[in-house]
Amino acid sequence: MSPPRLIGTDDWPDDAVRALLTRAAELKAGAAGRSLAGRTLIMVFLNPSLRTRTSFEIAMARHGGQAVVLEPGRGAWAMETRHGVVMDGDAVEHIVDAARVLGRYGQAVAVRAFPSATTWTEARRDDVVHAFARHSGVPTINLESARRHPCQGLADALTLQESFGERPKGRRFVLAWAWHPRPLPTAVPASAAIAAARLGMEVVIARPPGYDLDPDDVAAIEAVAGRNGGSLSMTADLDQAVAGADAVYAKSWGCLADYGRPEVEAARRAPLRSWIVDERRMASTRDGAGIFLHCLPVRRNVVVTDGVLDGAWSRVTDQAENRLHVQRAVLETMLEGEVRG
Ligand code: CP
């Protein structure tokens, strides 16, 4: 049997995700954590992190386990992530060999690899995290890839449940595209929409023309919504989407049709600076009291105004805290069993 993997929560049964969220809430409330003594989680960060790295390191420590962090190119060998290439460039270690070796040292591996391919056709395959899952021989956790950020999605779900109860069916969740100086990955918006859909929420994606998510990700959100009594719709009218909403999740992402052509994408994005979540928009939410969400880090007064982030609407610090609690539940679930050797 293959070791468990958490690439995206949409690959997991709904009951398993619900059980994780219940366990995360118990741990947050002070329940004793199961021991992970003797277990090591090896995390490979091909891109920077504040929350993911810190919260996973602390989660392992809370359970008596150990976390090892590698940053290829900074203290660990630079890694080649493409397959079948002649490695006569800067990278001296192939991810397949790294995955095989790290799987012999640790009881789980975790990897962050933002999209780096030149085409979306290639980037959307999420080859790096799948290579670790295929070759490490141990449980594998996606710490954010091109398409999914499952631990962020779990923290988003826990935060929504804290505001609206365990099954906030019928509540409106708006994923609000925001202007940003660079085209960002679609992992967070896809994962957040999947999280809200699984709670049975009415998911509305407000985005300018040309900024649709990958069709397979839209299908994944629809499938999860369909199983859980939720819905998905799209609009290019941010004001209309936000008016009466229960939750507004701001996030920027790049135009996939322009992937790999930053100048073209920048020209498309240039006239869209009014796509920002501000006090006026949040005041139009249900009873003026909708909640504001963002995964962080966030560019203040670009994606969202200071007044929203520092106001009563904001749940972003709770969201970030919840990363710790959901990841403790993930680690308990994925690292159960005997430690070999
Ligand atoms: N939200 C999130 O993943 O934060 P980091 O990039 O700091 O890990």
Side-chain angles (χ1 to χ4, degrees):
M1 202 171 74
S2 303
R5 56 181 65 176
L6 179 58
I7 308 291
T9 63
D10 47 315
D11 294 341
W12 281 41
D14 295 318
D15 285 351
V17 175
R18 277 193 272 278
L20 271 181
L21 293 173
T22 299
R23 181 61 181 154
E26 288 170 2
L27 290 167
K28 184 172 184 176
R34 291 202 285 275
S35 174
L36 297 176
R39 290 165 174 79
T40 301
L41 170 72
I42 302 177
M43 291 187 278
V44 179
F45 282 94
L46 292 160
N47 308 95
S49 165
L50 184 147
R51 279 144 290 271
T52 304
R53 174 178 176 165
T54 313
S55 54
F56 261 111
E57 287 197 65
I58 291 169
M60 283 303 287
R62 288 270 179 95
H63 290 258
Q66 179 193 24
V68 171
V69 173
L70 297 175
E71 297 177 89
R74 288 185 57 194
W77 299 113
M79 284 184 195
E80 176 58 67
T81 60
R82 297 164 300 168
H83 298 277
V85 295
V86 177
M87 288 177 54
D88 56 1
D90 292 338
V92 298
E93 174 112 45
H94 199 277
I95 52 166
V96 169
D97 301 310
R100 287 175 179 153
V101 171
L102 296 177
R104 299 283 178 96
Y105 295 156
Q107 284 65 51
V109 296
V111 59
R112 167 167 284 194
F114 292 171
S116 61
T118 51
T119 65
W120 180 243
T121 303
E122 188 181 347
R124 71 187 298 286
R125 295 199 305 251
D126 274 345
D127 279 343
V128 176
V129 68
H130 284 291
F132 272 88
R134 193 172 308 122
H135 297 289
S136 67
V138 294
T140 300
I141 300 170
N142 179 5
L143 302 179
E144 190 175 350
S145 61
R147 303 272 296 278
R148 293 291 184 274
H149 194 350
C151 298
Q152 184 63 55
L154 289 167
D156 299 340
L158 184 59
T159 311
L160 289 166
Q161 288 186 331
E162 288 172 345
S163 291
F164 305 123
E166 273 194 20
R167 301 289 287 164
K169 269 193 199 311
R171 297 270 195 169
R172 194 193 318 159
F173 172 93
V174 177
L175 177 60
W177 184 91
W179 187 89
H180 188 281
R182 290 194 306 114
L184 299 180
T186 54
V188 166
S191 302
I194 288 166
R198 184 174 271 114
L199 299 181
M201 298 183 81
E202 177 196 331
V203 177
V204 179
I205 301 181
R207 84 293 179 243
Y211 283 84
D212 283 328
L213 297 176
D214 185 280
D216 284 353
D217 293 340
V218 172
I221 299 162
E222 282 174 335
V224 172
R227 291 200 304 272
N228 290 283
S231 64
L232 173 64
S233 61
M234 322 274 185
T235 178
D237 188 332
L238 178 58
D239 284 329
Q240 193 180 51
V242 163
D246 296 284
V248 179
Y249 196 125
K251 191 71 188 85
S252 191
W253 63 90
C255 168
L256 298 181
D258 296 340
Y259 184 92
R261 298 182 299 160
E263 307 79 18
V264 177
E265 212 275 345
R268 186 194 291 270
R269 206 166 358 99
L272 301 173
R273 285 198 78 139
S274 63
W275 285 72
I276 180 172
V277 177
D278 58 11
E279 292 93 320
R280 178 185 65 79
R281 285 181 167 136
M282 288 308 299
S284 78
T285 58
R286 188 193 294 265
D287 301 325
I291 64 167
F292 175 79
L293 300 164
H294 190 281
C295 61
L296 303 181
V298 69
R299 289 180 184 252
R300 283 175 172 253
N301 304 310
V302 172
V303 167
V304 55
T305 59
D306 283 340
V308 172
L309 266 182
D310 298 329
W313 298 292
S314 181
R315 296 290 182 281
V316 299
T317 312
D318 297 324
Q319 246 181 302
E321 179 192 333
N322 286 340
R323 293 290 304 275
L324 173 63
H325 307 301
V326 298
Q327 288 160 197
R328 291 181 66 192
V330 165
L331 291 166
E332 281 191 347
T333 303
M334 294 185 70
L335 287 172
E336 277 177 343
E338 293 299 309
V339 181
R340 64 164 185 260

